[in-house]
Amino acid sequence: MEVLWMMPALLLLIPLLLCISSTFVYYFKKCWYVGYMMCLALVTIPMCIVKSGGRDVENMRVIRAVVRHVKYYLGVRYEVSGLEHLQTKGPYVIVSNHQSSLDVLGLMEILPDRCTMIAKKELMYCGTVGIICWLGGIVFINRKKTSDAKSVMVEAAKTMLDENLRLWVFPEGTRNQKGDLLPFKKGAFHLAVQAQVPIIPIVFSSYSNFYLRKEKQFNSGTIRVKILPKIDTKGMTSDDISSVLDKSFDVMLSAFKDISPYTHSNGPAKH
């Protein structure tokens, strides 16, 4: 009985805390986001199985359609420029900066057809979200074992060409909210050069005007997304990987500074 009596008080307390405590807003939104995404995944799993019979990149269409509304509940909006660059025919590798788990919403905002991601293997064990990632054809790599990661990239290059796929890679390798770009790892560029497919850089503006992990702030805000012209790799060899990495890093860092409301770094070394 006491628990039932306390429920109305708790329900009244939540909106009060949302109004007076930015820290509570941060944790409330984060917990809601994780929980809601897991629920959406649970609903989407049977839809994907019915559509494709199992693991298939075409399931990303279903996942994209189901997830795109989540941004409204979190107060996040997107301004996208350069969408025409994603109209490139055939396979290509997308490289983008990586700031938080919110990147998933931006990815789903502009995800082209027949495109999936390369992600850390740990994601596969995240309950219903891990299952839906597997059904969407996401390529999982073990970041702790370089040899395993390289073999996965070799296989991914072959699959890209055989199945006309696009692959989305976060070349920083981990989340970064320091107002710049972390040095890029070479995997995505090895992949593009080996498959002889273009690289399309995509840049998300800094989240620092509304989302700060260390300060525990999560307000409403707008993310600017800039899709840059493709970088061709035709005729390139392994000797050209460093130069194409440098070129990608430079254009992305320049775009990041241009579209971000605030950055406090001139950027690190590239590799």
Side-chain angles (χ1 to χ4, degrees):
M1 293 294 295
E2 290 184 4
V3 174
L4 293 176
W5 180 84
M6 292 176 62
M7 286 299 294
L10 290 173
L11 292 175
L12 290 173
L13 183 61
I14 289 174
L16 176 62
L17 288 172
L18 287 172
C19 291
I20 64 174
S21 173
S22 61
T23 300
F24 182 81
V25 170
Y26 173 85
Y27 284 111
F28 182 85
K29 280 190 171 184
K30 289 283 286 186
C31 291
W32 181 89
Y33 175 51
V34 172
Y36 189 56
M37 292 292 274
M38 292 185 76
C39 291
L40 286 178
L42 183 63
V43 172
T44 311
I45 287 168
M47 295 169 63
C48 290
I49 293 173
V50 170
K51 175 180 172 57
S52 304
R55 179 174 167 85
D56 193 318
V57 70
E58 285 298 316
N59 285 328
M60 292 304 292
R61 290 176 180 243
V62 179
I63 297 167
R64 179 179 62 192
V66 170
V67 169
R68 288 188 69 177
H69 73 282
V70 176
K71 63 188 176 186
Y72 297 113
Y73 293 118
L74 294 175
V76 176
R77 298 294 183 271
Y78 292 91
E79 293 179 358
V80 182
S81 63
L83 268 173
E84 67 275 8
H85 299 306
L86 291 179
Q87 303 307 312
T88 300
K89 293 182 179 180
Y92 50 77
V93 175
I94 294 172
V95 292
S96 74
N97 56 320
H98 189 20
Q99 299 179 73
S100 96
S101 58
L102 292 177
D103 295 342
V104 172
L105 301 183
L107 185 150
M108 291 300 169
E109 187 76 9
I110 59 174
L111 189 76
D113 290 339
R114 297 207 55 79
C115 182
T116 191
M117 295 184 296
I118 290 181
K120 60 184 179 180
K121 191 175 182 179
E122 292 86 343
L123 187 61
M124 190 164 53
Y125 307 109
C126 293
T128 54
V129 171
I131 296 171
I132 204 66
C133 287
W134 183 84
L135 286 170
I138 287 179
V139 179
F140 297 102
I141 60 171
N142 187 343
R143 296 184 301 181
K144 296 178 181 178
K145 291 187 178 180
T146 304
S147 58
D148 288 354
K150 285 182 178 178
S151 65
V152 169
M153 289 294 189
V154 169
E155 185 62 29
K158 183 178 183 301
T159 304
M160 282 183 72
L161 299 176
D162 291 346
E163 300 183 18
N164 190 33
L165 298 182
R166 291 84 182 257
L167 284 175
W168 190 305
V169 187
F170 297 106
E172 292 171 288
T174 189
R175 300 172 189 176
N176 169 41
Q177 206 183 5
K178 296 180 180 179
D180 55 21
L181 301 183
L182 293 176
F184 286 176
K185 299 181 183 298
K186 292 185 176 182
F189 307 96
H190 274 288
L191 175 63
V193 169
Q194 183 169 346
Q196 294 287 282
V197 298
I199 295 166
I200 298 183
I202 295 180
V203 182
F204 295 94
S205 63
S206 172
Y207 297 174
S208 61
N209 61 325
F210 73 96
Y211 177 81
L212 293 168
R213 189 167 57 249
K214 288 184 178 180
E215 290 80 359
K216 302 297 181 287
Q217 292 183 11
F218 193 167
N219 303 313
S220 297
T222 298
I223 299 169
R224 299 173 70 186
V225 185
K226 190 166 186 177
I227 304 164
L228 302 172
K230 68 179 181 180
I231 299 173
D232 282 315
T233 65
K234 284 286 186 183
M236 289 187 179
T237 68
S238 57
D239 293 334
D240 301 303
I241 288 170
S242 291
S243 63
V244 75
L245 181 154
D246 288 349
K247 181 177 181 180
S248 301
F249 183 95
D250 288 341
V251 297
M252 289 175 67
L253 181 59
S254 177
F256 179 78
K257 291 179 176 179
D258 183 53
I259 65 176
S260 295
Y262 169 74
T263 57
H264 53 269
S265 172
N266 292 322
K270 301 174 184 68
H271 50 85

